[in-house]
Amino acid sequence: MKMTATFATKIHEDPDPVDAANKPDGSGAVLRPFRVCHLTVLATAFCALVFYAHYAIRGNMASALFKPPVTISSSSLPLLSSTSTIDPSLQPEKPATNRSAAAPASESDHCDGRYIYMYDMPPRFNDDLVRHCGKGELHPWLDMCPYVANDGMGEPLGDEGGVFPGHGWYATDQFTLDLIFHSRMKRSYECLTNDTTLAAAVFVPFYAGLDAGRFLYNHSTSIRDKLQLEFIDWLVNRPEWRAMGGRDHFLVAGRTTWDFRREADVDALWGTKLLTHPAVKNMTAFVLEKSPSSRNNFAIPYPTYFHPEAAADVVAWQQKVREIPRRWLFSFAGAPRPGSNKTVRAELIRQCGASSLCNLFHCGGKDGDGAADCNSPGGVMRVFEGSDFCLQPRGDTATRRSTFDALLAGCVPVFFHRDSAYTQYALHFPRDHARYSVLIPHAGVAAGRVSIEERLGRIPAEEVRRMREAVIRLIPRVVYADPRAGRAGFNDAFDVAVEAIIDRVAKRRCGEDEVTAGTTE
Ligand SMILES: *[C@@H]1O[C@H](CO)[C@@H](O)[C@H](O)[C@H]1NC(C)=O
Ligand SMILES: *[C@@H]1O[C@H](CO)[C@@H](O)[C@H](O)[C@H]1NC(C)=O
Ligand SMILES: *[C@@H]1O[C@H](CO)[C@@H](O)[C@H](O)[C@H]1NC(C)=O
Ligand SMILES: *[C@@H]1O[C@H](CO)[C@@H](O)[C@H](O)[C@H]1NC(C)=O
Ligand SMILES: *[C@@H]1O[C@H](CO)[C@@H](O)[C@H](O)[C@H]1NC(C)=O
């Protein structure tokens, strides 16, 4: 029994291939803090009341009801073709009122329905971690200070022989998203509020990933959990928490979910138990890779080396990767894993090494230690920029930072497991996976029955070009803009995530996800 009012119908008609198709619950609903509840008349009435209470205070009921909260810009259409040089995904946002025919002409706050309340936390939960970044502090054996510099972007990169023209390029570590996201929120999100009654969602800037990274290899579970449990204790005692038992709260834990999902207090088990804690299960966690069974974790892109300050930086980069000559059909950058030589990875390294059309960037060393080349942003990006396809087998887990480096380079990713991307980045990637990537099922590859060269070589040049264009159009959505730059003028990975959390919390206010939840947690 759906109740769809006319204003909602208008919005639903927007052609919106990415946003509409890829909500966390796959409902295809367009972002809106006020959604007519899909439950019962009772629930609908209840939701309206809650909503009224939420907004009445500002006397902004009408605008809250009728205006889409999030400016729906043409950035929702990154894949629609255009022959113009200026990517339509980068055009300035249009006033939201134009998108809603039913919108009253009242002058209203463009932040309505988009306000985020961000906790001011004791520094031991965030800033102190960054301050103690020296060798052995944030990482068991590395000095992380260069990587937490510049709000988590790391040190600026030079041009590296023409690989990185322009500016916006940094030697970014894959695990500094806690910091990047917080800075982005703090320094350039325009709709922060200190008034919890206005907030569409509540951001908790605990650096869970940086904290966990300190002790992952420590055998003591109590050492690993210490700060995370202190954090939970602090959080659940806040008055802001009580309003919804944390169900309007979210955090960013910039590592894969597997680093936070320990199920028992057994020293031999990996990780902390942050995400298995009942309080945190009430929240939403953004991680780099989610657990397939979790409803409360969402995967968002790994940070890459590119942090544009403005739309123009992105446009210039898109143009460069569009035009760059690509002499390799495919490439692989990575190290062999110890163990079986019957894995997909081992087979890819074998096939790539044997193919005159493949560029094998064979990372040496153990545990990344001696792999100087693979830690060289310029080296890796040069390989990807010169290839049509980039092979992305599983690493320690299903996903890899390398996938995002490949996208950035305009190289079409080739996956071997759906969990490497399709089941993960549903907020950021188009639902039609074949447009921007290739899936070669792993079993055949591991068994040595599939020739990658033959499989990729069969794809017509025109199709390769189309896929590359789709990849290039994804770039703005998967990069994290320079947090220091203010509004960058396009929707980046942060904006996409924030829109999603606002939508999710709005649904939770209506009790929707509780009713539809089929799985626990
Ligand atoms: C947006 O709305 C304003 C005022 O209603 C109107 O003047 C303007 O032409 C509209 N712009 C577009 C692109 O529809
Ligand atoms: C919220 O309060 C803090 C501390 O008083 C202040 O620094 C900050 O600017 C306020 N933020 C907003 C959005 O008003
Ligand atoms: C675990 O961490 C504690 C606290 O930093 C430290 O004293 C201890 O030596 C570490 N143990 C191992 C095996 O690293
Ligand atoms: C989590 O949410 C449930 C349902 O709203 C609530 O009963 C519970 O108290 C919350 N847990 C915590 C730790 O606040
Ligand atoms: C694969 O591993 C097996 C057993 O360890 C070994 O006998 C074989 O020579 C290896 N093959 C290659 C191609 O390395």
Side-chain angles (χ1 to χ4, degrees), residues 107-445:
E107 184 39 58
S108 64
D109 183 346
H110 74 290
C111 287
D112 272 351
R114 300 174 61 205
Y115 280 110
I116 303 279
Y117 176 88
M118 176 171 72
Y119 281 100
D120 186 11
M121 302 186 78
R124 70 178 189 283
F125 295 127
N126 47 39
D127 295 347
D128 286 353
L129 290 164
V130 173
R131 214 168 287 133
H132 297 118
C133 56
K135 192 173 164 74
E137 292 186 299
L138 258 191
H139 185 282
W141 57 86
L142 296 178
D143 175 4
M144 290 295 287
C145 295
Y147 298 102
V148 297
N150 296 311
D151 291 19
M153 296 187 297
E155 301 290 353
L157 288 167
D159 124 300
E160 306 232 357
V163 185
F164 302 126
H167 55 283
W169 294 88
Y170 294 82
T172 306
D173 183 78
Q174 60 181 336
F175 295 136
T176 56
L177 189 58
D178 302 358
L179 184 50
I180 293 171
F181 202 100
H182 182 206
S183 300
R184 185 80 171 68
M185 185 68 80
K186 195 166 52 180
R187 302 175 71 143
S188 58
Y189 188 67
E190 56 192 342
C191 299
L192 288 176
T193 181
N194 279 339
D195 178 353
T196 48
T197 64
L198 283 184
V202 177
F203 176 52
V204 190
F206 170 46
Y207 294 170
L210 292 184
D211 171 48
R214 299 186 299 167
F215 300 121
L216 282 176
Y217 298 93
N218 194 303
H219 57 71
S220 157
T221 54
S222 56
I223 297 278
R224 280 180 252 153
D225 292 336
K226 185 168 179 294
L227 192 67
Q228 313 221 330
L229 294 178
E230 272 176 49
F231 154 71
I232 292 167
D233 188 50
W234 178 87
L235 184 64
V236 299
N237 285 301
R238 294 306 101 198
E240 297 89 335
W241 176 270
R242 270 171 235 138
M244 282 181 72
R247 290 179 310 117
D248 54 351
H249 283 44
F250 70 104
L251 57 71
V252 174
R255 304 184 66 94
T256 74
T257 194
W258 312 113
D259 292 340
F260 310 99
R261 303 196 80 75
R262 204 184 68 242
E263 298 280 353
D265 288 341
V266 174
D267 287 349
L269 295 179
W270 180 256
T272 76
K273 57 184 179 190
L274 181 76
L275 297 182
T276 60
H277 192 285
V280 178
K281 283 183 181 179
N282 275 10
M283 303 170 63
T284 301
F286 286 121
V287 288
L288 302 179
E289 175 178 327
K290 74 190 279 280
S291 149
S293 65
S294 168
R295 294 181 56 86
N296 291 343
N297 303 181
F298 294 95
I300 60 176
Y302 284 74
T304 59
Y305 305 119
F306 192 28
H307 302 284
E309 280 177 35
D313 296 337
V314 180
V315 172
W317 177 254
Q318 287 175 314
Q319 202 51 36
K320 175 184 156 136
V321 292
R322 218 171 251 137
E323 287 165 3
I324 202 163
R326 294 177 190 262
R327 66 162 294 224
W328 306 96
L329 176 63
F330 61 121
S331 66
F332 175 67
R337 302 267 156 174
S340 169
N341 56 11
K342 295 233 169 68
T343 60
V344 170
R345 181 178 284 252
E347 177 64 12
L348 295 182
I349 290 173
R350 196 188 64 70
Q351 288 197 24
C352 184
S355 167
S356 61
L357 303 181
C358 188
N359 188 0
L360 180 61
F361 198 64
H362 204 302
C363 309
K366 290 193 181 70
D367 299 324
D369 251 352
D373 282 344
C374 283
N375 290 329
S376 145
V380 172
M381 289 298 287
R382 191 178 289 112
V383 171
F384 292 170
E385 285 172 28
S387 313
D388 286 331
F389 295 98
C390 290
L391 308 184
Q392 300 296 349
R394 294 170 53 106
D396 292 322
T397 66
T399 64
R400 300 176 85 199
R401 141 80 178 259
S402 178
T403 295
F404 294 92
D405 292 334
L407 294 175
L408 206 51
C411 186
V412 177
V414 180
F415 299 114
F416 303 88
H417 295 83
R418 295 181 53 81
D419 282 351
S420 292
Y422 308 154
T423 59
Q424 295 287 341
Y425 304 105
L427 299 176
H428 292 79
F429 288 178
R431 183 178 266 179
D432 183 358
H433 307 302
R435 289 179 75 168
Y436 69 93
S437 69
V438 175
L439 178 69
I440 304 180
H442 59 94
V445 179

